[in-house]
């Protein structure tokens, strides 16, 4: 009985240690999404709308109505920009985005401007674009 208890204690401790190490490794995953949502909360009004593929996290941390555009093609995305008039649009490496999302700002520099970016080794992990309301009506 003592040998079994020793094995259980050692095995339990090893499992606990491994689980704790995994939690510590992953605890900062998506931290940029959290920080970006807090930033957008500070730089928007309660009734502003946000676009983000990280819908759940963004809605929770920003406390703003958030729409995902993951299922939209480029023309649908453009229509939704005109229709909903979001304050900010995020693009990140943390979620799978439609290909056009990575190129949209370059094609429409007057419509989306970089408001904030989260980098790692000079590579963007998450970019927050502010929608230019004066140009949004010109989106075709």
């Amino acid at each position: 009985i003592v040998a079994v208890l020793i094995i259980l204690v050692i095995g339990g401790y090893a499992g606990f240690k491994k689980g704790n190490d995994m939690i510590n490794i992953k605890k900062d995953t998506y931290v940029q999404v959290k920080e970006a949502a807090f930033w957008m909360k500070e730089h928007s009004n309660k009734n502003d709308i946000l676009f983000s593929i990280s819908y759940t996290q963004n809605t929770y941390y920003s406390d703003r109505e958030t729409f995902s555009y993951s299922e939209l093609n480029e023309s649908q995305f453009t229509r939704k920009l005109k229709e909903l008039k979001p304050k900010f649009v995020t693009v990140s490496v943390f979620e799978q985005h439609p290909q056009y999302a990575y190129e949209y700002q370059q094609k429409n520099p007057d419509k989306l401007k970089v408001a904030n970016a989260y980098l790692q080794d000079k590579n963007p992990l998450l970019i927050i674009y502010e929608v230019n309301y004066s140009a949004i009506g010109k989106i075709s």
Side-chain angles (χ1 to χ4, degrees):
I1 292 177
V2 172
V4 170
L5 287 174
I6 290 173
I7 291 171
L8 286 175
V9 167
I10 291 172
Y13 177 75
F16 172 78
K17 177 85 171 109
K18 182 173 177 145
N20 194 45
D21 290 345
M22 290 294 290
I23 289 170
N24 286 330
I25 288 169
K26 298 203 179 252
K27 73 179 179 181
D28 291 330
T29 303
Y30 286 77
V31 72
Q32 292 85 358
V33 173
K34 179 180 178 180
E35 290 173 359
F38 283 140
W39 185 90
M40 288 184 285
K41 181 178 183 176
E42 291 174 14
H43 293 86
S44 64
N45 297 317
K46 182 74 174 154
N47 59 346
D48 283 333
I49 293 172
L50 310 174
F51 276 15
S52 177
I53 302 292
S54 301
Y55 168 81
T56 305
Q57 302 94 319
N58 199 73
T59 301
Y60 179 78
Y61 291 118
S62 71
D63 194 29
R64 302 290 183 263
E65 188 172 10
T66 303
F67 290 91
S68 175
Y69 58 93
S70 63
E71 300 297 321
L72 303 178
N73 63 37
E74 187 170 354
S75 63
Q76 292 168 327
F77 176 76
T78 300
R79 271 198 313 272
K80 287 293 183 186
L81 282 178
K82 288 175 85 170
E83 177 186 325
L84 299 174
K85 294 185 173 77
K87 174 87 174 174
F88 297 112
V89 176
T90 63
V91 177
S92 74
V93 300
F94 300 107
E95 309 284 351
Q96 184 174 353
H97 287 64
Q99 185 57 40
Y100 71 83
Y102 300 109
E103 303 158 356
Y104 196 88
Q105 193 274 335
Q106 293 167 346
K107 291 180 183 178
N108 301 282
D110 59 325
K111 304 194 180 38
L112 298 178
K113 68 175 187 171
V114 175
N116 200 356
Y118 296 84
L119 309 173
Q120 183 177 47
D121 300 325
K122 298 184 181 181
N123 296 316
L125 297 176
L126 186 145
I127 301 173
I128 302 170
Y129 295 106
E130 185 169 5
V131 180
N132 181 354
Y133 286 106
S134 63
I136 199 165
K138 300 174 188 171
I139 295 175
S140 55

